[in-house]
Short mmCIF file of all heavy atoms in Angstrom, two decimals:
data_model
loop_
_atom_site.label_atom_id
_atom_site.label_comp_id
_atom_site.label_asym_id
_atom_site.label_seq_id
_atom_site.Cartn_x
_atom_site.Cartn_y
_atom_site.Cartn_z
N VAL A 1320 -11.03 -78.37 1.33
CA VAL A 1320 -9.96 -77.70 0.56
C VAL A 1320 -9.85 -78.28 -0.86
O VAL A 1320 -9.66 -77.56 -1.80
CB VAL A 1320 -8.62 -77.80 1.34
CG1 VAL A 1320 -7.45 -77.35 0.45
CG2 VAL A 1320 -8.66 -76.95 2.61
N PHE A 1321 -9.94 -79.62 -0.93
CA PHE A 1321 -9.75 -80.24 -2.24
C PHE A 1321 -10.88 -79.82 -3.21
O PHE A 1321 -10.60 -79.48 -4.34
CB PHE A 1321 -9.78 -81.73 -2.01
CG PHE A 1321 -9.51 -82.48 -3.30
CD1 PHE A 1321 -8.29 -82.42 -3.96
CD2 PHE A 1321 -10.48 -83.29 -3.87
CE1 PHE A 1321 -8.09 -83.09 -5.11
CE2 PHE A 1321 -10.26 -84.00 -5.02
CZ PHE A 1321 -9.05 -83.92 -5.68
N LEU A 1322 -12.11 -79.86 -2.70
CA LEU A 1322 -13.27 -79.50 -3.52
C LEU A 1322 -13.13 -78.05 -3.99
O LEU A 1322 -13.33 -77.70 -5.17
CB LEU A 1322 -14.56 -79.69 -2.82
CG LEU A 1322 -15.87 -79.27 -3.49
CD1 LEU A 1322 -16.05 -80.06 -4.76
CD2 LEU A 1322 -17.03 -79.44 -2.61
N ALA A 1323 -12.74 -77.16 -3.06
CA ALA A 1323 -12.58 -75.76 -3.32
C ALA A 1323 -11.57 -75.51 -4.42
O ALA A 1323 -11.71 -74.74 -5.35
CB ALA A 1323 -12.27 -75.01 -2.06
N MET A 1324 -10.42 -76.23 -4.31
CA MET A 1324 -9.37 -76.11 -5.31
C MET A 1324 -9.82 -76.56 -6.70
O MET A 1324 -9.59 -75.92 -7.70
CB MET A 1324 -8.14 -76.97 -4.92
CG MET A 1324 -7.02 -76.87 -5.90
SD MET A 1324 -5.75 -78.13 -5.68
CE MET A 1324 -6.62 -79.56 -6.32
N LEU A 1325 -10.59 -77.67 -6.75
CA LEU A 1325 -11.11 -78.20 -8.02
C LEU A 1325 -11.98 -77.16 -8.70
O LEU A 1325 -11.94 -76.95 -9.87
CB LEU A 1325 -11.85 -79.48 -7.79
CG LEU A 1325 -11.01 -80.75 -7.57
CD1 LEU A 1325 -11.93 -81.96 -7.54
CD2 LEU A 1325 -9.98 -80.90 -8.68
N ILE A 1326 -12.82 -76.52 -7.87
CA ILE A 1326 -13.73 -75.52 -8.43
C ILE A 1326 -12.98 -74.35 -9.03
O ILE A 1326 -13.22 -73.86 -10.10
CB ILE A 1326 -14.70 -75.03 -7.34
CG1 ILE A 1326 -15.76 -76.13 -7.05
CG2 ILE A 1326 -15.39 -73.76 -7.70
CD1 ILE A 1326 -16.75 -75.80 -5.94
N GLY A 1327 -11.96 -73.89 -8.26
CA GLY A 1327 -11.16 -72.75 -8.75
C GLY A 1327 -10.44 -73.06 -10.04
O GLY A 1327 -10.46 -72.29 -11.04
N VAL A 1328 -9.76 -74.22 -10.00
CA VAL A 1328 -8.96 -74.61 -11.23
C VAL A 1328 -9.90 -74.88 -12.38
O VAL A 1328 -9.60 -74.50 -13.52
CB VAL A 1328 -8.11 -75.87 -10.92
CG1 VAL A 1328 -7.47 -76.36 -12.20
CG2 VAL A 1328 -6.98 -75.54 -9.88
N GLY A 1329 -11.03 -75.50 -12.11
CA GLY A 1329 -12.02 -75.78 -13.16
C GLY A 1329 -12.49 -74.54 -13.87
O GLY A 1329 -12.58 -74.48 -15.10
N ILE A 1330 -12.85 -73.53 -13.06
CA ILE A 1330 -13.33 -72.27 -13.64
C ILE A 1330 -12.31 -71.60 -14.50
O ILE A 1330 -12.61 -71.18 -15.63
CB ILE A 1330 -13.75 -71.34 -12.49
CG1 ILE A 1330 -15.02 -71.82 -11.80
CG2 ILE A 1330 -13.95 -69.88 -13.00
CD1 ILE A 1330 -15.45 -71.03 -10.60
N VAL A 1331 -11.05 -71.59 -14.04
CA VAL A 1331 -9.98 -70.97 -14.85
C VAL A 1331 -9.70 -71.78 -16.08
O VAL A 1331 -9.49 -71.21 -17.18
CB VAL A 1331 -8.75 -70.78 -13.97
CG1 VAL A 1331 -7.55 -70.28 -14.84
CG2 VAL A 1331 -8.99 -69.82 -12.85
N ALA A 1332 -9.66 -73.11 -15.96
CA ALA A 1332 -9.38 -73.95 -17.11
C ALA A 1332 -10.42 -73.78 -18.20
O ALA A 1332 -10.11 -73.68 -19.39
CB ALA A 1332 -9.30 -75.41 -16.67
N ILE A 1333 -11.71 -73.78 -17.77
CA ILE A 1333 -12.81 -73.58 -18.73
C ILE A 1333 -12.67 -72.27 -19.44
O ILE A 1333 -12.81 -72.14 -20.69
CB ILE A 1333 -14.14 -73.69 -18.06
CG1 ILE A 1333 -14.37 -75.15 -17.62
CG2 ILE A 1333 -15.32 -73.27 -18.96
CD1 ILE A 1333 -15.62 -75.36 -16.79
#
Side-chain angles (χ1 to χ4, degrees):
Chain A
V1320 168
F1321 183 66
L1322 177 62
M1324 179 194 74
L1325 283 186
I1326 286 178
V1328 172
I1330 288 172
V1331 174
I1333 290 173

